[in-house]
């Protein structure tokens, strides 16, 4: 789905950036994709998608205790 119409940014774009570039703040997202830098209407939605994407990546990280075994 489109998150930012001004810059044609989708939730997939945001999720990809979190995975490939380690983006985890709205400021970084804005710098990379221009999200929330024009009309600003997408800010809240972008923040929600960003938080979900960051949580997904964190939940996929292996438990450090299992790596040592
Ligand atoms: Fe994202 Fe306008 S919809 S800046």
């Amino acid at each position: 789905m489109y998150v930012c119409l001004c810059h044609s940014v989708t939730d997939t774009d945001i999720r990809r950036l979190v995975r490939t570039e380690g983006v985890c703040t709205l400021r970084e997202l804005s710098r990379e994709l221009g999200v929330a830098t024009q009309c600003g209407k997408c800010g809240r939605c972008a923040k929600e998608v960003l938080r979900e994407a960051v949580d997904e990546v964190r939940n996929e990280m292996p438990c450090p205790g299992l790596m040592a075994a």
Side-chain angles (χ1 to χ4, degrees), residues 5-23:
L5 291 177
C6 292
H7 296 282
S8 300
V9 176
T10 66
D11 62 325
T12 304
D13 296 328
I14 294 172
R15 290 176 201 283
R16 181 171 18 85
L17 208 59
V18 168
R19 287 183 183 280
T20 61
E21 304 297 327
V23 167

Side-chain angles (χ1 to χ4, degrees), residues 3-4 8 14 16 19-21 23 25-26 29-31 34-35 37 41 48 52-53 55 62 64 67 69:
V3 173
C4 176
S8 300
I14 294 172
R16 181 171 18 85
R19 287 183 183 280
T20 61
E21 304 297 327
V23 167
T25 66
L26 186 59
L29 195 61
S30 296
R31 190 174 53 232
V35 169
T37 60
K41 290 181 179 174
E48 286 177 21
E52 285 175 11
D55 285 350
M67 298 296 281

Side-chain angles (χ1 to χ4, degrees), residues 45 61 65:
C45 182
M61 297 287 278

